[in-house]
Amino acid sequence: MLSTILTKSFSKDTALLILRVITGTVLIHHGYEKLANIENFADAFVRPLHLPFPIFLSYVAAFSEIGGSWLLIIGLATRFGALAIVGTISVAIYHALVTSGFNIFLLELLLLYFASATSIALTGPGNFSLDEVIIRILKSEDEGEIIPSTKSKNSKEIEVKEEASKGGLFQFLQANILSDTSS
């Protein structure tokens, strides 16, 4: 059990889970603050950049932070959520540079959000996400069609896959995800 916990894959997946959940949790309130006073946000942050449709773009920024944060937290369409956050934070970094120059006190939080979201977008959500569960279910369905014709897998692995496809989501999770940490 200890060797499983200390393996690189388990540690990486746990680190990605922590990064996703904490980044999404601390960033989500920024989107809700924008929605609370959208006109003020547009006046303070969008109009100084001379972008067209400042109210519309303010809503886009708010919803990309809220939606992207929720996607990171639950691990569904994670890369899409991370890219939405990267886009919004990139504009925020540009705004900070244009209005205040290289002020590290304004940039440090933005750069941390940018680094976190970019890391998640590049590496993916990890095994502890809904994305991974969906991928494994889709792979097991594909393998379920192929398994009777292939002879290269051992019979125990085929038996586990067939039981998982018959037994539903819980048995699938137990056979695939939980078996990775229990052996």
Side-chain angles (χ1 to χ4, degrees):
M1 178 68 178
L2 183 60
S3 65
T4 302
I5 291 173
L6 297 177
T7 62
K8 186 176 184 179
S9 176
F10 184 81
S11 299
K12 182 187 93 169
D13 294 328
T14 305
L16 285 169
L17 174 67
I18 292 167
L19 184 65
R20 278 189 2 249
V21 171
I22 290 178
T23 301
T25 303
V26 297
L27 182 61
I28 200 166
H29 82 279
H30 291 288
Y32 286 120
E33 285 177 356
K34 287 174 183 58
L35 286 180
N37 195 347
I38 203 76
E39 189 72 38
N40 184 39
F41 177 78
D43 289 338
F45 294 98
V46 181
R47 285 192 176 101
L49 297 176
H50 306 291
L51 295 172
F53 313 112
I55 299 295
F56 174 74
L57 290 177
S58 297
Y59 278 112
V60 169
F63 286 120
S64 70
E65 286 179 357
I66 294 168
S69 293
W70 277 114
L71 291 175
L72 288 185
I73 291 167
I74 64 175
L76 180 64
T78 309
R79 287 187 167 152
F80 177 75
L83 288 175
I85 291 169
V86 166
T88 302
I89 297 299
S90 296
V91 174
I93 291 170
Y94 176 72
H95 174 269
L97 290 171
V98 166
T99 59
S100 301
F102 191 77
N103 182 345
I104 193 65
F105 298 110
L106 292 176
L107 290 173
E108 65 184 349
L109 183 61
L110 294 172
L111 291 172
L112 286 171
Y113 284 141
F114 181 83
S116 297
T118 302
S119 297
I120 293 166
L122 292 174
T123 60
N127 284 337
F128 305 132
S129 66
L130 289 178
D131 287 343
E132 183 64 25
V133 171
I134 291 168
I135 288 170
R136 286 185 182 208
I137 289 172
L138 293 175
K139 280 184 181 178
S140 72
E141 289 175 359
D142 289 343
E143 289 174 0
E145 296 171 1
I146 298 171
I147 284 176
S149 64
T150 60
K151 301 290 184 190
S152 62
K153 294 186 177 184
N154 64 22
S155 61
K156 183 179 179 186
E157 186 175 337
I158 293 171
E159 190 176 298
V160 168
K161 296 286 184 187
E162 288 175 352
E163 288 176 16
S165 64
K166 292 178 186 175
L169 181 62
F170 179 74
Q171 287 183 344
F172 171 79
L173 292 174
Q174 186 177 14
N176 289 294
I177 295 175
L178 299 178
S179 66
D180 290 345
T181 59
S182 62
S183 57

